[in-house]
């Protein structure tokens, strides 16, 4: 089954050329089927790149997905054309009365700030509460995951002395989890952050279940069944060149940056990087979509009233 996107969204042609099944909104409206409604609250500066990355992953499942692009109501982006935002994104205040089967909250380049100093923190708190009444299952990614786990459970984030940057080995801590179906015992995940949550502080919360972790970079994926949420502190969704683009940008700007760990062949930035996480990225988001499909109410008005 395809993912439903506006035909003039840049991701439509990109994914269609990659062989991902995509469907225009007009054709989707004629389908006698209830698609899963998945929202993407996109907090990243490069909106088009981020929406394409997530659409690629959730569009690879056998189910029909209706992707809704959402932005913060109280914040105007400066890195994406206003015309793109106006045409394809809706402010959260406009969707606050609606129900979603799933929601992805992305990272944001504000991790150095205390949560309370983020200009749109009050709206984020409203959104976190809204996920408990209007969203069946939520995935928070990087800053989005750290902010959610802090808001719901008080787990703090800690500033790192050096940026965690590269592809780090991780362990599968819960092979029986349905979210890790098909996962190997260890895997690589791209990491790019200046902050971390710490394993012992996650372990101190009885309601949280660690699923993936790294000896080098700490927790990577945590399940929160009581909140119907998953917290992903690293970046399954990254393209092959995303870390390269970050590295090249910082080099050009003269910033102190190390070559991303275990990313380039022989750690040589002159060589093209190799993607060794793509299969696990598709597995994770496919498993998440499958769990939503099996447990979400057919009557969307009952979302938020029934547990997974």
């Amino acid at each position: 089954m395809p993912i439903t996107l506006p035909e003039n969204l840049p991701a439509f042609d990109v994914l269609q050329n990659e062989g991902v099944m995509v469907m225009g909104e007009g054709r989707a409206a004629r389908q006698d089927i209830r698609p899963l409604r998945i929202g993407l609250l996109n907090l990243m500066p490069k909106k088009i790149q981020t929406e394409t990355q997530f659409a690629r992953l959730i569009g690879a499942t056998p189910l029909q997905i209706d992707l809704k692009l959402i932005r913060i109501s109280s914040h105007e982006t400066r890195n994406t054309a206003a015309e793109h935002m106006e045409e394809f994104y809706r402010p959260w205040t406009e969707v606050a009365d609606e129900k979603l089967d799933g929601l992805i909250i992305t990272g944001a380049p504000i991790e150095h700030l205390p949560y309370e100093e983020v200009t749109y923190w009050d709206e984020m708190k409203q959104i976190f509460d809204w996920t408990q009444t209007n969203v069946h299952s939520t995935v928070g990614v990087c800053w989005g995951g750290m902010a959610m786990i802090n808001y719901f459970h008080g787990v703090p984030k800690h500033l790192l002395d050096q940026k965690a940057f590269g592809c780090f080995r991780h362990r599968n801590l819960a092979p029986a989890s349905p979210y890790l179906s098909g996962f190997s015992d260890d895997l690589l995940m791209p990491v790019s952050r200046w902050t971390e949550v710490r394993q012992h502080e996650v372990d101190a919360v009885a309601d949280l279940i660690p699923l993936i972790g790294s000896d080098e970079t700490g927790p990577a994926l945590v399940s929160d069944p009581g909140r119907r949420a998953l917290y992903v502190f690293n970046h399954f969704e990254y393209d092959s060149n995303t870390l390269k683009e970050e590295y090249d940008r910082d080099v050009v700007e003269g910033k102190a940056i190390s070559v991303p760990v275990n990313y380039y062949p022989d750690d040589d930035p002159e060589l093209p990087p190799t993607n060794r996480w793509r299969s696990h990225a598709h597995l994770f988001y496919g498993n998440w979509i499958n769990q939503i499909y099996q447990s979400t109410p057919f009557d969307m008005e009952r979302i938020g009233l029934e547990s997974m």
Side-chain angles (χ1 to χ4, degrees):
M1 288 289 185
I3 182 172
T4 302
L5 299 172
E7 292 186 28
N8 53 342
L9 184 75
F12 189 97
D13 287 337
V14 172
L15 299 183
Q16 190 172 58
N17 291 335
E18 292 178 4
V20 177
M21 292 184 66
V22 291
M23 179 186 293
E25 293 174 317
R27 182 182 169 197
R30 296 191 295 271
Q31 301 289 308
D32 187 18
I33 190 173
R34 170 162 122 56
L36 295 180
R37 300 187 73 220
I38 306 294
L40 177 67
L41 179 63
N42 193 348
L43 307 175
M44 292 297 288
K46 294 183 177 181
K47 296 284 191 286
I48 295 173
Q49 180 187 59
T50 301
E51 68 204 26
T52 303
Q53 289 172 346
F54 282 106
R56 176 183 293 115
L57 293 172
I58 67 174
T61 73
L63 303 172
Q64 186 168 322
I65 307 295
D66 184 6
L67 181 64
K68 304 296 184 184
L69 300 178
I70 306 169
R71 65 172 176 84
I72 288 292
S73 310
S74 57
H75 180 75
E76 295 295 330
T77 183
R78 292 174 294 179
N79 299 89
T80 303
E83 294 80 8
H84 183 88
M85 301 302 297
E86 179 67 25
E87 184 167 4
F88 299 115
Y89 281 78
R90 295 172 65 194
W92 172 73
T93 50
E94 287 188 7
V95 302
D97 292 331
E98 300 179 11
K99 302 274 184 141
L100 296 174
D101 297 295
L103 176 69
I104 299 169
I105 301 176
T106 73
I110 50 174
E111 54 184 332
H112 61 289
L113 293 174
Y115 295 118
E116 295 76 13
E117 293 183 14
V118 174
T119 56
Y120 48 83
W121 182 241
D122 286 342
E123 185 168 348
M124 289 302 304
K125 292 189 294 183
Q126 294 177 54
I127 291 171
F128 295 154
D129 289 335
W130 174 76
T131 66
Q132 301 305 288
T133 59
N134 288 58
V135 180
H136 186 61
S137 179
T138 304
V139 173
V141 178
C142 202
W143 183 87
M146 292 184 182
M148 287 187 74
I149 202 172
N150 175 265
Y151 181 72
F152 287 131
H153 300 286
V155 176
K157 64 180 172 72
H158 301 274
L159 286 171
L160 296 170
D161 294 330
Q162 292 185 321
K163 186 178 184 179
F165 189 46
C167 294
F168 293 85
R169 297 223 70 86
H170 289 70
R171 290 176 289 114
N172 181 343
L173 304 176
S177 169
Y179 298 109
L180 302 184
S181 178
F183 269 60
S184 53
D185 293 335
D186 74 337
L187 59 142
L188 283 177
M189 287 184 74
V191 181
S192 179
R193 48 181 164 80
W194 283 97
T195 55
E196 66 176 0
V197 297
R198 294 176 179 167
Q199 189 65 60
H200 72 276
E201 292 173 331
V202 172
D203 293 339
V205 181
D207 295 336
L208 299 176
I209 304 173
L211 301 183
I212 296 176
S214 168
D215 293 335
E216 297 173 278
T217 58
L221 173 60
V222 176
S223 175
D224 185 357
R227 299 288 180 178
R228 305 186 310 280
L230 294 160
Y231 311 128
V232 189
F233 304 124
N234 302 330
H235 292 282
F236 274 135
E237 80 281 1
Y238 270 7
D239 295 325
S240 301
N241 286 330
T242 304
L243 292 178
K244 171 179 168 53
E245 292 169 1
E246 293 183 21
Y247 175 73
D248 291 347
R249 177 201 63 203
D250 287 353
V251 168
V252 168
E253 294 178 359
K255 295 181 180 179
I257 184 68
S258 298
V259 174
V261 173
N262 199 24
Y263 175 57
Y264 295 105
D266 300 322
D267 293 327
D268 183 354
E270 298 301 317
L271 298 176
T274 302
N275 189 313
R276 290 173 287 167
W277 62 91
R278 183 183 295 116
S279 59
H280 285 101
H282 281 281
L283 275 174
F284 171 67
Y285 282 98
N287 289 339
W288 177 58
I289 294 292
N290 185 40
Q291 289 303 301
I292 291 175
Y293 175 73
Q294 292 188 44
S295 59
T296 193
F298 184 81
D299 178 1
M300 296 195 69
E301 290 306 309
R302 295 199 59 78
I303 286 176
L305 304 177
E306 302 178 12
S307 60
M308 292 184 70

